[in-house]
Amino acid sequence: MASSLSLISPHSAILRTPKTLNLRTHRPLCIKARTVPALTQDDLKKLAADKAVEYVKSGMVLGLGTGSTAAFVVSKLGELLKSGELTDIVGVPTSKRTEDQARSLGIPLSILDDHPRIDLAIDGADEVDPNLDLVKGRGGALLREKMVEAASEKFVVVADETKLVKGLGGSGPAMPVEVVQFCWKYNLIRLQELFKEEGVEAKLRMEGDTPYVTDNYNYIVDLYFKTPIKDGPAAGKEISVLEGVVEHGLFLNMATAVIIAGKEGVDVMNK
């Protein structure tokens, strides 16, 4: 019986189908940048206040201003007294609300009668022009502010950049004039007539349905200028000679330095 042989050629090759490659796809990398929150107006005021307090030394008699910016100054002084970084300072407040704040922080207080010479006053401003002349008193404390700051060896103003103007009186908000309650309307009309050519509108300041009353029991007539005051000293003199006018909000040639806080930092302007 013949045998059958199965021969395999040495040259034959077995071909295998390659496995499918499993390639991983990657999503594009996405990096989110955190945005730095913009400084608020209160942030800027606090920056200016902190800088101003650097002028304060232990043992000084200080004029304490009134208003939102000045409140940051008083608050910082309270912190430094509590920590012991400042000692033996005496504050002369320019309003009842500043007095209340300072007392709550343990700041020793006095009055001009007992301390007629003040080493340094720090206060805010409603407008600051390139000559460092000011409009103040929109917070209603212009009479006491002017008395205390005029008695100060140095007067440092703190403000944010929105208070910078090319000329006083024309930025929109009022330039205040404090008048006695007696015949206030008579003086309101006279003040409006005084600046008739400038188109000034005079309004009695109100608090709700009743006239605003200052710490000195007076009224305030707010003058709204459409354009900047051309001659500040002359305007101040013309206002002051009116009988029944107590004080005006033009603070001229009084500031020794102005600290302005802005988005780019803090600038100090000196006389």
Side-chain angles (χ1 to χ4, degrees):
M1 183 175 183
S3 61
S4 61
L5 298 176
S6 177
L7 299 177
I8 299 176
S9 170
H11 299 291
S12 64
I14 300 174
L15 299 178
R16 296 181 179 177
T17 304
K19 293 182 179 180
T20 304
L21 295 179
N22 185 15
L23 299 177
R24 292 184 180 178
T25 57
H26 296 275
R27 294 181 180 179
L29 183 62
C30 180
I31 299 176
K32 292 183 178 180
R34 291 185 178 178
T35 57
V36 178
L39 292 176
T40 66
Q41 194 170 15
D42 278 349
D43 292 332
L44 296 178
K45 290 176 180 180
K46 189 176 185 303
L47 285 174
D50 288 349
K51 181 66 176 178
V53 172
E54 294 178 10
Y55 287 77
V56 179
K57 307 297 180 187
S58 293
M60 278 187 167
V61 178
L62 302 172
L64 305 178
T66 295
S68 57
T69 309
F72 284 113
V73 173
V74 176
S75 179
K76 185 67 175 181
L77 291 173
E79 290 178 17
L80 295 176
L81 270 177
K82 187 175 181 180
S83 68
E85 294 177 64
L86 276 180
T87 58
D88 300 321
I89 64 169
V90 175
V92 178
T94 56
S95 67
K96 290 180 180 178
R97 61 183 179 274
T98 297
E99 178 181 351
D100 291 342
Q101 182 193 10
R103 286 194 191 282
S104 71
L105 296 170
I107 299 174
L109 299 178
S110 186
I111 57 175
L112 276 176
D113 289 344
D114 297 329
H115 287 89
R117 181 186 174 279
I118 296 174
D119 298 302
L120 170 67
I122 304 176
D123 203 354
D126 302 306
E127 291 182 347
V128 180
D129 77 2
N131 297 319
L132 305 193
D133 288 331
L134 319 168
V135 167
K136 286 180 47 56
R138 289 176 187 154
L142 59 156
L143 173 59
R144 297 190 186 190
E145 287 175 336
K146 190 171 283 190
M147 290 177 68
V148 169
E149 286 146 18
S152 301
E153 184 75 19
K154 293 182 179 179
F155 173 29
V156 175
V157 176
V158 287
D160 64 87
E161 60 187 357
T162 65
K163 302 301 190 295
L164 293 174
V165 296
K166 293 181 179 179
L168 299 180
S171 67
M175 197 282 283
V177 179
E178 189 164 345
V179 300
V180 296
Q181 293 192 31
F182 176 73
C183 295
W184 63 264
K185 191 173 183 180
Y186 167 71
N187 272 319
L188 182 149
I189 293 171
R190 291 205 295 172
L191 286 165
Q192 186 158 299
E193 287 294 318
L194 189 61
F195 299 103
K196 185 177 181 179
E197 292 183 3
E198 287 85 354
V200 167
E201 184 178 9
K203 293 182 179 181
L204 180 68
R205 184 176 297 186
M206 303 294 289
E207 190 170 43
D209 296 329
T210 58
Y212 175 87
V213 179
T214 70
D215 287 347
N216 316 296
Y217 306 103
N218 297 315
Y219 287 168
I220 289 181
V221 173
D222 284 322
L223 302 182
Y224 293 88
F225 289 81
K226 294 181 179 179
T227 57
I229 299 169
K230 295 178 181 178
D231 188 336
K237 288 179 182 179
E238 290 177 328
I239 293 170
S240 295
V241 298
L242 297 178
E243 300 83 5
V245 166
V246 179
E247 192 52 82
H248 58 75
L250 291 170
F251 284 54
L252 308 176
N253 198 31
M254 292 181 66
T256 51
V258 175
I259 298 172
I260 298 292
K263 295 176 182 178
E264 303 300 322
V266 178
D267 291 325
V268 179
M269 304 161 63
N270 294 293
K271 275 285 188 181

